């Protein structure tokens, strides 16, 4: 019985990772959100790594940082789950359970000056 | 006991497979400003989105455009996350390939 509870607790722990992604504007910048159908000039996708089953972001790069780096003024963001992400999650949470995980993030946008 | 171990292992396997995509975008024809982290806001929305096929099929609207339009938000910031209840529920629903995720929006309405 104790082992079952321990296993259930482990499952819950694996799932309570959060893998939180914040989508905010960089400080001091005026950024607009783009609709899904808008044409874009720039598209960047990367993997953010998390430790402790998603609780601790290891990679500080969030959409805000990419928006600043690419000098985008209008953006849309996707928090994407890819097959390689799933494989990495399987590898580091089940096969070798060291609690590492990834979340793919995509930022798309344009660099025109906002009109207000 | 062996069956329990197999089922739990399968559950662990399934919970780590992809849990669906969230699109942070604006409604067509509307201007929405992306807020900074510490900007003051008056509206707080939490929306749970569901997926089938371990994230392959969206059962809910996973675009924020709809939420922004329904709540008349002119500016917002977003958080995509799982809270404890999402993870707790996913632990069991994932066996049937259903999963959920949470979108948190803090913003201000038009004219505020």
């Amino acid at each position: 019985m104790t082992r079952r509870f321990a296993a259930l607790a482990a499952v819950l722990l694996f799932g309570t990772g959060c893998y939180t992604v914040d989508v905010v504007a960089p400080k001091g910048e005026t950024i607009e959100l783009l609709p899904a159908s808008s044409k874009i000039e720039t598209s960047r996708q990367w993997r953010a790594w998390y430790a402790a089953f998603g609780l601790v972001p290891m990679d500080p790069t969030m959409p805000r940082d990419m928006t600043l780096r690419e000098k985008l003024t209008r953006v849309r963001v996707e928090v994407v789950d890819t097959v390689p992400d799933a494989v990495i999650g399987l590898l580091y949470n089940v096969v070798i359970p060291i609690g590492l995980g990834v979340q793919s993030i995509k930022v798309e946008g344009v660099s025109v000056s906002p009109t207000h | 006991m062996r069956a329990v171990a197999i089922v739990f292992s399968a559950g662990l396997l399934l919970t780590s497979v992809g849990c669906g995509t969230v699109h942070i975008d604006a409604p067509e024809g509307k201007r929405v400003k992306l807020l900074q982290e510490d900007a003051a806001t008056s509206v707080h929305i939490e929306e749970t989105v569901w997926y089938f096929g371990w994230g392959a099929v969206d059962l809910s609207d996973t675009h924020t455009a709809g939420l922004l339009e329904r709540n008349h938000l002119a500016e917002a910031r977003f958080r995509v996350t799982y809270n404890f209840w999402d993870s707790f529920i996913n632990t069991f629903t994932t066996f049937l390939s259903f999963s959920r995720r949470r979108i948190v929006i803090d913003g201000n309405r038009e004219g505020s």
Side-chain angles (χ1 to χ4, degrees):
Chain A
M1 200 64 156
T2 309
R3 269 196 217 169
R4 286 185 197 180
F5 279 126
L8 179 61
V11 169
L12 287 177
L13 196 61
F14 291 157
T16 315
C18 298
Y19 293 94
T20 298
V21 176
D22 285 318
V23 182
V24 300
K27 210 152 182 79
E29 300 290 325
T30 302
I31 307 293
E32 277 184 20
L33 212 54
L34 278 174
S37 61
S38 285
K39 288 199 177 134
I40 49 150
E41 297 167 353
T42 304
S43 179
R44 295 283 180 266
Q45 184 167 329
W46 71 99
R47 282 196 186 88
W49 284 81
Y50 296 80
F53 305 105
L55 277 172
V56 180
M58 293 168 63
D59 186 339
T61 308
M62 281 283 127
R64 164 183 52 194
D65 306 295
M66 192 57 71
T67 301
L68 204 57
R69 190 182 305 173
E70 297 294 330
K71 297 182 175 51
L72 301 175
T73 54
R74 292 183 187 166
V75 298
R76 58 174 180 251
V77 177
E78 276 183 26
V79 180
V80 184
D81 280 333
T82 65
V83 172
D85 293 345
V87 172
I88 291 169
L90 232 82
L91 178 64
Y92 291 121
N93 284 280
V94 180
V95 178
I96 312 167
I98 55 174
L100 286 181
V102 291
Q103 176 67 74
S104 284
I105 305 170
K106 187 196 298 189
V107 170
E108 298 178 320
V110 295
S111 305
V112 296
S113 303
T115 55
H116 68 72
Chain B
M1 194 61 199
R2 200 181 201 184
V4 169
I6 290 169
V7 166
F8 270 125
S9 301
L12 286 175
L13 220 92
L14 293 174
T15 50
S16 34
V17 177
C19 291
T21 299
V22 172
H23 307 263
I24 310 294
D25 48 25
E28 294 292 339
K30 286 207 149 186
R31 305 190 85 110
V32 177
K33 182 181 168 188
L34 188 60
L35 284 174
Q36 296 173 15
E37 190 174 14
D38 48 8
T41 58
S42 56
V43 177
H44 178 83
I45 300 162
E46 291 198 20
E47 181 86 356
T48 302
V49 291
W50 282 91
Y51 303 87
F52 177 69
W54 298 288
V57 178
D58 298 347
L59 294 178
S60 307
D61 182 4
T62 56
H63 290 256
T64 57
L67 283 167
L68 292 170
E69 185 145 43
R70 283 195 298 278
N71 290 279
H72 308 289
L73 294 179
E75 47 187 31
R77 58 172 177 262
F78 307 85
R79 170 169 281 195
V80 180
T81 189
Y82 304 92
N83 68 6
F84 174 80
W85 291 112
D86 297 326
S87 302
F88 182 80
I89 291 167
N90 278 341
T91 304
F92 302 101
T93 60
T94 207
F95 288 97
L96 301 171
S97 87
F98 291 97
S99 58
R100 57 187 257 171
R101 197 159 200 177
R102 184 165 299 263
I103 304 173
V104 180
I105 303 178
D106 289 294
N108 298 304
R109 292 207 163 97
E110 296 156 4
S112 61

